[in-house]
Amino acid sequence: MVLLVLFGGKNCGVCQTIKPQIDEKFSDKFPNLERVYIDCEQLQEICAQRGVFSLPVVQVFFMGQKFIEEMRGFSLMG
């Protein structure tokens, strides 16, 4: 199982911009990829437990292990 987690917030402009881009790009290329969005403005405790203190953060897990973590400035694959 592969899981992509986007940590964002409703007041994070970058987060709101990349969320639909992630959904669009990755749903076509990786239809079995599970995607989860966590709003850190609403779920501060969960974000703190995961070590997320700035936004946006994308974490990808492969077979339960963190495989990739990108934060703040990153590009989505084309």
Side-chain angles (χ1 to χ4, degrees):
M1 180 179 134
V2 180
L3 172 68
L4 183 147
V5 182
L6 171 60
F7 294 90
K10 67 178 178 179
N11 294 313
C12 170
V14 174
C15 302
Q16 297 306 311
T17 300
I18 67 170
K19 185 178 182 298
Q21 292 177 11
I22 287 173
D23 289 340
E24 179 184 326
K25 290 179 186 259
F26 291 96
S27 64
D28 291 340
K29 292 184 180 182
F30 306 101
N32 295 328
L33 175 69
E34 295 287 330
R35 293 179 311 279
V36 174
Y37 177 74
I38 297 176
D39 185 330
C40 290
E41 293 173 24
Q42 299 290 320
L43 302 168
Q44 294 175 5
E45 186 175 317
I46 291 172
C47 294
Q49 289 172 353
R50 302 297 306 164
V52 174
F53 300 105
S54 64
L55 301 175
V57 172
V58 172
Q59 295 177 347
V60 177
F61 294 85
F62 182 71
M63 297 181 68
Q65 300 294 316
K66 191 186 312 179
F67 184 68
I68 297 171
E69 181 173 51
E70 298 289 341
M71 26 187 129
R72 298 190 75 168
F74 56 89
S75 96
L76 301 172
M77 77 177 170

